Amino acid sequence: MSTYEQQALQELQQWQQQMQRAPSYLNRFARQVQIRLNNLLPEKVHKAITAAIKQMVSGVLLGSRYTSRRPVTEGSLEEREQTVRQHLKYYRTTAAAEGAVTGAGGILLGLADFPLLLGIKLKFLFEVAALYGFDAHDYTERLYLLHVFQLAFSSQHSRNEVYHRVADWDAYRQTLPTDPQAFDWRTFQQEYRDYIDLAKLAQLVPVIGAAVGAVANYKLIEQLSTTAMNCYRLRLGLAAA
């Protein structure tokens, strides 16, 4: 194992501990608050939001499927991850700029940030998958990307469950239905929406919205990158090396 792989393994092990950490008191309290708030929404609102997110994500997945690069078949882990970090700089800057523009526009443009940022994140995940050598034309690989996304933006309670699926993906993928539409879209949208609500709420406030939007989007892309890199380190068997 090279020096770089040893360092990557240490980072992976630290990340694994974070993913499997039991929810703290604050995590449990925040979850209960979010559950109560969600219960206040009528069922038809939940269904409408779920349908909107499903269509939005499905559209991005379909488009990215045809525009993403072919899987990289050669290169060491260090070479692959250097390229991932180079792409991260572009997507991070793009997301920050988008957050600044929509944040500066007040509530209406601030609401437009949601689908725009979602598209940037998913496109970035397609790039990462290809750079690690995985072909997202396979629908199970696209479902894997959704699990990586969910892992990055979920409460600690849900994160524990999703992590175990991701960590044992080769076995879990055998249990997946043949219909991609069977994915649990409601949980996906609710966890994502709950997670980013607080981070993005101040973006809707005039004057400070631009700065908040830029910083929040920058950090959210950074967080997604950390999650994706460690998930694909697992897929490449680094933990077992």
Side-chain angles (χ1 to χ4, degrees):
M1 184 180 291
S2 68
T3 302
Y4 182 87
E5 289 174 336
Q6 291 176 350
Q7 179 182 343
L9 177 58
Q10 290 177 354
E11 293 175 0
L12 172 59
Q13 291 172 336
Q14 292 173 356
W15 176 81
Q16 287 178 292
Q17 291 176 357
Q18 293 175 357
M19 293 300 102
Q20 298 177 87
R21 186 179 299 160
S24 66
Y25 173 79
L26 185 59
N27 292 148
R28 294 193 298 270
F29 176 76
R31 181 175 175 80
Q32 289 302 316
V33 170
Q34 290 288 5
I35 289 175
R36 291 179 182 179
L37 291 175
N38 285 324
N39 287 340
L40 294 176
L41 294 176
E43 180 61 22
K44 62 181 181 181
V45 174
H46 281 294
K47 289 182 178 180
I49 295 175
T50 299
I53 295 295
K54 178 180 177 180
Q55 292 302 318
M56 196 183 306
V57 175
S58 297
V60 174
L61 289 178
L62 181 63
S64 297
R65 173 185 175 185
Y66 293 108
T67 60
S68 59
R69 68 174 64 233
R70 296 192 62 80
V72 177
T73 57
E74 297 180 352
S76 65
L77 178 66
E78 183 174 4
E79 291 169 337
R80 293 176 187 274
E81 296 197 340
Q82 284 177 346
T83 309
V84 169
R85 292 188 178 97
Q86 290 171 1
H87 281 73
L88 170 61
K89 292 178 182 178
Y90 167 76
Y91 281 93
R92 201 169 47 193
T93 301
T94 301
E98 180 272 317
V101 171
T102 54
I107 293 177
L108 292 180
L109 278 181
L111 294 176
D113 171 71
F114 189 91
L116 292 173
L117 180 60
L118 192 62
I120 293 171
K121 289 173 178 174
L122 290 172
K123 178 61 177 172
F124 174 65
L125 281 181
F126 268 82
E127 293 281 357
V128 172
L131 291 171
Y132 278 99
F134 293 89
D135 188 355
H137 286 81
D138 180 342
Y139 108 87
T140 62
E141 289 299 334
R142 296 197 298 278
L143 285 183
Y144 182 76
L145 294 183
L146 291 182
H147 278 77
V148 172
F149 189 100
Q150 199 170 3
L151 188 59
F153 305 116
S154 289
S155 65
Q156 188 63 40
H157 180 274
S158 298
R159 185 173 288 161
N160 291 340
E161 179 181 351
V162 177
Y163 167 76
H164 288 296
R165 294 180 192 170
V166 168
D168 195 22
W169 184 255
D170 286 339
Y172 180 71
R173 74 191 304 172
Q174 302 303 319
T175 69
L176 291 171
T178 56
D179 181 9
Q181 301 303 317
F183 184 74
D184 187 356
W185 291 103
R186 176 155 178 165
T187 299
F188 177 86
Q189 65 85 12
Q190 192 163 295
E191 285 286 344
Y192 178 58
R193 186 162 47 86
D194 290 350
Y195 185 90
I196 69 170
D197 273 350
L198 294 178
K200 305 288 287 179
L201 189 59
Q203 185 174 336
L204 304 181
V205 179
V207 182
I208 68 170
V212 171
V215 173
N217 284 11
Y218 186 98
K219 290 186 176 297
L220 288 171
I221 293 292
E222 184 85 41
Q223 181 170 329
L224 180 60
S225 173
T226 298
T227 302
M229 289 178 69
N230 282 300
C231 284
Y232 280 107
R233 285 168 175 174
L234 279 176
R235 290 293 298 279
L236 292 177
L238 181 62

